[in-house]
Amino acid sequence: MVKISRILSVSAIILGLYVIVAASQFPEGADGVPGPGFFPVILGIMIILLSVLQLFNTRKDKDDDTKFMNEGTRRVLISCAIIIGYLVGMEVLGFIVSTPIFLFSIMWYFSVRKVSTLISIPLVSTGILYFVFLKFLSVSLPTGLFF
């Protein structure tokens, strides 16, 4: 497990560096206002710092026989697969169609079985997000091929 933790820590450091490099390509802010790359750079720095901290913490640990693929790891990986499916689906179906499907899927996976909750939460959340981003913030949402 220590070896896996080290590999993940180094991978996260590389990811943090990539985030910083990609965010530095964004336009700069004007008049003392941070530009769109400000928060991604902060996020990249935080990823790197936490990964370095994790890397040093694994140096203290002795190698144990903890299995990598336990129930918690499986749940995280399946959740990541659902999120990746959502991102791909958003490109094809658009925000309005893919977001309720994603919310329904993730809620179902985490054992929400009440039908009224499985229908109302995704629809209401999508409506609120649509209104906030499109009307209030004037940010366009992905339309996909159909909407």
Side-chain angles (χ1 to χ4, degrees):
M1 192 69 171
V2 171
K3 198 179 281 187
I4 292 170
S5 183
R6 288 179 184 156
I7 291 169
L8 290 174
S9 296
V10 171
S11 299
I13 290 169
I14 293 169
L15 173 68
L17 290 171
Y18 172 76
V19 167
I20 291 171
V21 169
S24 66
Q25 305 299 319
F26 293 162
E28 293 185 18
D31 300 326
V33 177
F38 178 73
F39 288 111
V41 167
I42 298 295
L43 180 64
I45 292 169
M46 288 175 56
I47 290 171
I48 291 170
L49 291 176
L50 292 172
S51 299
V52 167
L53 181 65
Q54 179 65 23
L55 195 60
F56 283 121
N57 283 339
T58 58
R59 288 181 56 199
K60 298 178 198 172
D61 296 338
K62 294 182 179 179
D63 201 14
D64 58 3
D65 291 334
T66 306
K67 293 188 177 204
F68 176 69
M69 189 56 77
N70 57 26
E71 180 63 24
T73 305
R74 187 180 69 79
R75 290 180 70 93
V76 168
L77 292 175
I78 291 174
S79 297
C80 288
I82 293 171
I83 292 169
I84 290 169
Y86 170 59
L87 295 174
V88 171
M90 194 179 312
E91 293 294 321
V92 177
L93 301 173
F95 176 82
I96 294 174
V97 176
S98 62
T99 301
I101 294 170
F102 163 71
L103 291 173
F104 178 89
S105 301
I106 204 81
M107 289 170 64
W108 181 269
Y109 180 67
F110 284 105
S111 302
V112 175
R113 295 294 187 261
K114 190 174 176 186
V115 175
S116 62
T117 303
L118 284 169
I119 293 171
S120 63
I121 298 280
L123 293 177
V124 170
S125 298
T126 302
I128 291 171
L129 288 170
Y130 178 80
F131 175 77
V132 168
F133 279 96
L134 200 65
K135 304 297 182 189
F136 183 67
L137 297 174
S138 299
V139 174
S140 63
L141 296 169
T143 56
L145 300 176
F146 304 111
F147 297 99

